[in-house]
Amino acid sequence: MLKTNNFPPDTPLKNGGILSNHLTIESGVQLRTSSFYYDVIFYKSDVVRVHQYVPDQSDTDPYAVIENPMEIQISIVDAEEIIALESDDVKVQINKSPIHFSFYDKDGKLINADDAGLGMECQGTQKTVYKLLQESEKFIGLGEKTGGLNRRGKGFQNWNTDAFAYGLDDDPIYASIPFYIGIHNQGTYGIFLDNTYKSYFNFGASNNRFSSFSVDAGDIDYYFFSGSVENIIRSYTWLTGRMPLPPLWSLGYQQCRYSYYPDKEVMNVAQKFRQKNIFIDVMVLDIHYMDQYKIFSWDERNFPDPRGMIKALEDIGFEVVVICDPGIKIEEGYHVYESGVSEDVFLKYPDGSCYEGKVWPGWCHFPDFTKESARNWWTKMLKSYTDLGLKGFWNDMNEIATWGNMLPENIQFSFEGKPATTRKSRNIYGFQMARSSFESAKENLKGKRPFILTRAAFAGIQRYSALWTGDNVATSDHMLLGVRLVNSLGLSGFAYTGNDIGGFCGDCDSRLFARWIQIGAFTPFFRSHSMINSKDSEPWSFGEEVEEISANYINLRYKLMPYTYSIFLYSTETGLPVARSLAIDYSHDENIYKGDYENQYLYGKSILVAPIGSHDRYLKLYLPKGRWYDFFTDKSFEGNQEIMKEYQLEELPLFVKSSAIIPVYPEVNRNTKEKGELLELHIYNGEEANTFEYYEDDGMTYDHENGVYHRRIITFDPSSKALKIGEAYGSYESSISKLKVLFHGFKANELDKIDGIKTESYVFVKPISDFDPYKDTTQGKFIDEVQTAATEYKRETMMFNW
């Protein structure tokens, strides 16, 4: 007879029991012990689910995973002491007494194993899995976690928290992504713990024997991934979903302050960007646009005509994003509150009364987004915004944040008809709010893509929303922490992330803003934001020099938009991030984990960014293997070496990988809609063949899902000395009519032919040795509109019809 786990909380049940029986199920096996069942199921050849549960008491997460097991061939061997399951990529060896698991790659190398003496352990409702520490094992990912790239020696917990002005090592903060990747000499693996209760991860903290993961309650339900770091991220995002292609305007620069008001100030700031020719797409409204902070309302004194303001901004090329908090003010006569009560959408205590928590509007109720009727209600409420022409919605305070930061744990959530308390639901609340906002806006906008931004999150939220890293601080260390947070989120399935440029809390100084805006130009989500009673944080707020630097890098972001949009498309199709930690492409290079280099990353596959502190003049950076070109001077460097260089304030250390293909809009103006008619292709000489897919669509609708796009495969093949531009496919008529091809690092006769386009004219450009790229780029020019300073290289420019 199966026993339930009703044992004293201080008496652990070690190792999860001894195997008493097993049977074959679809794509795996079911194991039975005296206390638990275990389902071991192959979801793909390289993805294995291990689910420990008590029958009739199973407690799982219905939200993160969206795929079912694929039909694959596996072999099952039942030996005296073990059961072995094997696919083309993974072998799972299950020890029978006591139960513990070992995972081997396709070559038979051990890549992950339970600690045989500890295995799976239960103390009361808390359950823990102990894994052997491998030699030189590193741990990366785990989403929005402070600290360094390598998590080894640290412990973390997942419990979404309103972490205002969080410190450099504070944990937890706003989001919970219980997915990490282990890297060691034998290989690479990933683990996703699919449990929304509070969870804990120990990567060798205070011990040298094990790593572990624990949950406060619910089932041990984890997925094991095998392969390279890149393949693991692909498989994880296959399992939990990938982001849809965001609207193009949301990839441009966004300006926010807590808060711009009245409406005249919003218009003045927007018009100043236009007057100064600093490119921008979005004005963002923080909480003061609302009437006494009440969601779905407008302050009639400061914003008497929101429709007119939104239309006036649209006329000068702006979209508007508004903040949306979940707290609904308890107030008779407030139609949102009265509607929510009548439709029974709010969270409740066990006695049936609605939970009340205090936040910006005062005492509030909160929608239960784990309830379908509440999500439908949110769609109706959001229509008051979409009817005004709004397409962007910023979900804040959704941890849930309340004054006191102590959400009662007995609040009742619907959880799709399987009621749960705060203990299970807190970490999923922000996910469900963002989901509701996305689905509501998508339905209301009738074919136009919405932009959703969230602060709180759980695994899988990339299907619905971008994420920013919350209330950061205006310090250089926090700026660099923000880089690591974005890179870690990218390792954890989140391609569309960023942080508040200039820091939300405190006063940003001029050098810090200049450095931050430079990095922001190479960050997926690109927004400046500062809090009330702090210094202004518009690009012109820090003097003429910083204004010039800011304008140059913001405008550079727009010139590189065809590169950015194409790598966003690549992310939607593969799950790989836009900002790529070097651990993806150089996983076993020990140098990238060093403190001096852990902030470096690739923007797409080809541009290496080496962030520099705001008051640093010298930077020690590391170039991985291969050949690299200085982005501004074309000077080449052999990789696998450390470099110490002096950098002036206007210089962000950027390098381009050899064989790279970088498309540029040299005629872009104002915003993402005005890209001009000319496309530049920058080809960097190298020894390896490379391809790049140029992508273009209307940037606003879902027509691209029906083939209304313009795509071309561009190939550089040094072995045949050829550049080939493939035929366009898709039914979208490109706005580009002419193509200009520029070659970097080529000598005479190193490129014999260009296929796929008709030559209109040929221009040979000689290098100019006295050209100063840094002086000229701060004047708003892009380096490739002028000749290179590197006299040892020739560059040819060729003009074609597109």
Side-chain angles (χ1 to χ4, degrees):
M1 181 177 177
L2 188 71
K3 300 176 183 177
T4 59
N5 53 338
N6 297 320
F7 35 79
D10 59 347
T11 305
L13 172 66
K14 295 186 177 181
N15 299 313
I18 296 172
L19 184 68
S20 59
N21 189 18
H22 75 278
L23 55 90
T24 300
I25 58 176
E26 187 174 355
S27 302
V29 296
Q30 185 179 86
L31 314 172
R32 301 180 181 183
T33 73
S34 59
S35 299
F36 296 104
Y37 280 11
Y38 295 79
D39 289 347
V40 183
I41 301 171
F42 278 79
Y43 270 56
K44 286 202 311 176
S45 182
D46 59 351
V47 180
V48 184
R49 181 185 185 185
V50 178
H51 180 200
Q52 179 203 64
Y53 61 100
V54 175
D56 300 324
Q57 297 181 31
S58 183
D59 189 357
T60 56
D61 162 29
Y63 295 122
V65 171
I66 60 172
E67 290 292 342
N68 294 313
M70 298 174 66
E71 291 186 10
I72 62 168
Q73 293 294 319
I74 62 171
S75 65
I76 302 174
V77 176
D78 182 8
E80 183 176 349
E81 296 183 353
I82 65 166
I83 297 172
L85 291 74
E86 189 167 358
S87 70
D88 290 341
D89 294 296
V90 179
K91 178 181 178 181
V92 184
Q93 183 171 296
I94 305 164
N95 192 80
K96 294 181 178 180
S97 179
I99 277 191
H100 59 270
F101 296 83
S102 302
F103 299 87
Y104 299 81
D105 68 11
K106 60 185 177 182
D107 297 322
K109 294 179 182 177
L110 178 68
I111 49 177
N112 180 259
D114 293 352
D115 184 303
L118 301 174
M120 294 186 180
E121 217 175 62
C122 299
Q123 297 188 47
T125 62
Q126 188 182 81
K127 304 176 183 71
T128 303
V129 177
Y130 294 91
K131 297 287 188 179
L132 279 175
L133 277 174
Q134 304 286 339
E135 184 179 353
S136 303
E137 188 164 13
K138 302 171 186 66
F139 301 92
I140 60 175
L142 209 65
E144 192 184 61
K145 294 299 180 187
T146 59
L149 169 62
N150 182 8
R151 310 294 189 190
R152 178 70 179 260
K154 298 291 182 65
F156 302 90
Q157 62 176 295
N158 286 320
W159 191 239
N160 290 358
T161 300
D162 177 12
F164 177 80
Y166 53 93
L168 300 178
D169 294 301
D170 282 2
D171 181 69
I173 52 176
Y174 307 97
S176 297
I177 319 296
F179 168 65
Y180 70 90
I181 297 171
I183 301 169
H184 54 79
N185 294 336
Q186 290 281 89
T188 309
Y189 68 92
I191 286 179
F192 167 47
L193 176 60
D194 189 15
N195 182 307
T196 62
Y197 288 92
K198 184 182 288 186
S199 58
Y200 308 86
F201 289 78
N202 182 323
F203 298 121
S206 303
N207 84 92
N208 60 2
R209 175 176 175 176
F210 63 81
S211 64
S212 66
F213 47 87
S214 308
V215 293
D216 266 0
D219 299 347
I220 287 291
D221 191 2
Y222 74 90
Y223 294 80
F224 176 87
F225 303 85
S226 176
S228 67
V229 171
E230 177 171 321
N231 287 337
I232 288 167
I233 296 172
R234 285 174 181 263
S235 291
Y236 168 73
T237 55
W238 166 82
L239 185 72
T240 62
R242 294 166 182 158
M243 72 170 176
L245 190 61
L248 180 59
W249 57 262
S250 72
L251 308 186
Y253 182 64
Q254 303 191 23
Q255 183 67 43
C256 184
R257 180 166 177 80
Y258 162 41
S259 290
Y260 288 128
Y261 69 97
D263 54 2
K264 291 182 176 59
E265 183 180 4
V266 179
M267 292 301 304
N268 286 340
V269 172
Q271 288 166 345
K272 201 164 186 177
F273 273 98
R274 293 290 177 248
Q275 292 163 3
K276 290 178 172 291
N277 198 33
I278 301 173
F279 302 163
I280 183 172
D281 271 82
V282 183
M283 290 296 297
V284 184
L285 303 184
D286 211 319
I287 57 176
H288 286 95
Y289 78 88
M290 293 181 275
D291 175 21
Q292 300 178 22
Y293 311 123
K294 293 183 292 187
I295 187 66
F296 307 122
S297 74
W298 292 83
D299 181 338
E300 293 182 358
R301 183 170 67 88
N302 287 313
F303 293 87
D305 183 16
R307 184 185 301 274
M309 180 195 69
I310 292 165
K311 180 62 167 62
L313 286 165
E314 181 184 345
D315 289 344
I316 58 173
F318 282 84
E319 298 286 347
V320 178
V321 171
V322 295
I323 197 170
C324 299
D325 290 351
I328 308 299
K329 182 175 176 62
I330 301 168
E331 181 181 272
E332 297 295 328
Y334 173 34
H335 75 283
V336 180
Y337 162 71
E338 292 185 340
S339 172
V341 171
S342 67
E343 297 193 33
D344 191 26
V345 303
F346 296 131
L347 295 171
K348 296 180 179 180
Y349 285 115
D351 64 4
S353 62
C354 291
Y355 164 66
E356 298 179 13
K358 201 168 189 180
V359 69
W360 292 112
W363 289 104
C364 294
H365 293 328
F366 297 84
D368 180 1
F369 293 110
T370 69
K371 188 177 185 180
E372 185 177 7
S373 61
R375 297 194 294 271
N376 293 336
W377 172 84
W378 192 253
T379 301
K380 291 186 291 185
M381 295 299 104
L382 200 71
K383 196 171 187 299
S384 67
Y385 283 163
T386 54
D387 283 352
L388 294 173
L390 294 172
K391 308 180 199 72
F393 306 97
W394 162 26
N395 292 182
D396 195 13
M397 307 293 286
N398 53 350
E399 288 73 30
I400 301 168
T402 55
W403 305 155
N405 211 5
M406 186 64 70
L407 195 70
E409 292 196 356
N410 63 342
I411 299 173
Q412 303 293 294
F413 291 72
S414 169
F415 241 87
E416 314 306 329
K418 297 181 179 179
T421 68
T422 306
R423 295 181 68 205
K424 183 176 183 180
S425 309
R426 179 179 181 125
N427 282 342
I428 208 71
Y429 190 84
F431 174 111
Q432 283 296 99
M433 183 184 181
R435 171 195 174 185
S436 300
S437 295
F438 174 80
E439 292 175 345
S440 298
K442 184 177 181 181
E443 178 177 336
N444 291 339
L445 289 173
K446 308 298 182 185
K448 290 186 178 179
R449 298 177 227 167
F451 167 68
I452 308 298
L453 180 68
T454 189
R455 189 169 76 175
F458 191 77
I461 202 172
Q462 64 270 10
R463 306 194 300 265
Y464 308 114
S465 180
L467 181 146
W468 103 106
T469 60
D471 297 340
N472 59 355
V473 182
T475 67
S476 184
D477 285 343
H478 234 278
M479 174 183 70
L480 297 177
L481 170 62
V483 172
R484 296 193 298 278
L485 288 172
V486 167
N487 292 348
S488 180
L489 285 160
L491 289 166
S492 309
F494 284 70
Y496 196 4
T497 58
N499 47 71
D500 284 340
I501 291 166
F504 179 71
C505 309
D507 290 327
C508 187
D509 63 44
S510 59
R511 292 186 64 88
L512 178 58
F513 190 85
R515 287 297 186 208
W516 216 321
I517 205 84
Q518 292 167 353
I519 295 169
F522 294 88
T523 302
F525 174 60
F526 188 25
R527 181 182 80 169
S528 293
H529 186 207
S530 57
M531 71 177 297
I532 198 168
N533 297 324
S534 65
K535 290 181 179 178
D536 292 347
S537 65
E538 297 79 26
W540 52 82
S541 303
F542 300 93
E544 291 183 1
E545 181 186 20
V546 174
E547 180 183 336
E548 249 185 341
I549 292 169
S550 299
N552 179 55
Y553 281 89
I554 292 171
N555 294 1
L556 174 58
R557 164 75 165 216
Y558 281 80
K559 290 178 184 292
L560 287 169
M561 195 56 68
Y563 177 78
T564 295
Y565 200 36
S566 293
I567 59 179
F568 262 85
L569 176 74
Y570 184 74
S571 291
T572 70
E573 296 177 339
T574 65
L576 292 165
V578 173
R580 296 167 66 104
S581 166
L582 296 185
I584 295 176
D585 297 281
Y586 309 97
S587 310
H588 297 283
D589 186 337
E590 292 292 327
N591 286 312
I592 69 167
Y593 302 99
K594 294 179 179 178
D596 286 340
Y597 313 128
E598 64 180 353
N599 300 322
Q600 295 179 199
Y601 63 96
L602 288 168
Y603 187 66
K605 288 186 176 181
S606 299
I607 299 175
L608 187 145
V609 184
I612 183 170
S614 61
H615 290 273
D616 294 335
R617 287 183 56 198
Y618 291 89
L619 179 67
K620 186 179 179 184
L621 60 89
Y622 174 70
L623 296 176
K625 66 180 181 179
R627 184 155 41 118
W628 300 86
Y629 294 87
D630 186 292
F631 183 86
F632 295 109
T633 69
D634 270 358
K635 182 178 180 182
S636 68
F637 299 83
E638 288 304 315
N640 203 21
Q641 68 163 315
E642 300 170 327
I643 296 173
M644 175 72 80
K645 286 190 66 179
E646 181 180 10
Y647 285 94
Q648 302 301 318
L649 183 60
E650 63 269 24
E651 306 169 49
L652 174 67
L654 296 173
F655 297 85
V656 181
K657 194 174 184 179
S658 62
S659 300
I661 301 167
I662 309 289
V664 168
Y665 291 146
E667 297 176 345
V668 67
N669 186 38
R670 289 208 321 175
N671 60 21
T672 52
K673 296 182 181 70
E674 300 181 18
K675 59 176 68 79
E677 297 181 352
L678 175 64
L679 177 69
E680 289 183 350
L681 277 183
H682 295 263
I683 314 299
Y684 290 80
N685 199 7
E687 297 177 358
E688 296 183 0
N690 187 32
T691 62
F692 182 88
E693 183 170 23
Y694 173 83
Y695 179 80
E696 190 182 346
D697 63 19
D698 65 21
M700 296 181 64
T701 73
Y702 287 95
D703 289 350
H704 65 285
E705 295 181 353
N706 297 312
V708 186
Y709 47 66
H710 180 100
R711 300 174 77 152
R712 289 179 189 254
I713 301 294
I714 303 165
T715 304
F716 168 58
D717 184 0
S719 64
S720 59
K721 299 184 180 180
L723 175 71
K724 183 175 182 179
I725 299 175
E727 292 290 330
Y729 59 104
S731 60
Y732 182 75
E733 185 176 345
S734 174
S735 61
I736 300 300
S737 60
K738 293 184 179 181
L739 174 68
K740 183 178 180 181
V741 184
L742 299 99
F743 302 96
H744 301 253
F746 286 86
K747 298 179 182 178
N749 302 319
E750 282 194 291
L751 195 73
D752 288 345
K753 59 183 178 179
I754 298 180
D755 293 334
I757 45 181
K758 297 178 180 179
T759 303
E760 182 179 83
S761 62
Y762 177 95
V763 181
F764 178 70
V765 180
K766 294 182 178 178
I768 298 175
S769 58
D770 61 353
F771 169 64
D772 184 343
Y774 303 120
K775 179 180 178 182
D776 280 4
T777 52
T778 58
Q779 297 301 320
K781 297 179 182 178
F782 180 61
I783 181 64
D784 289 314
E785 293 177 4
V786 291
Q787 292 81 1
T788 179
T791 56
E792 64 269 37
Y793 301 107
K794 294 181 180 179
R795 183 170 62 180
E796 295 173 347
T797 302
M798 306 180 77
M799 293 289 295
F800 306 94
N801 292 320
W802 181 237

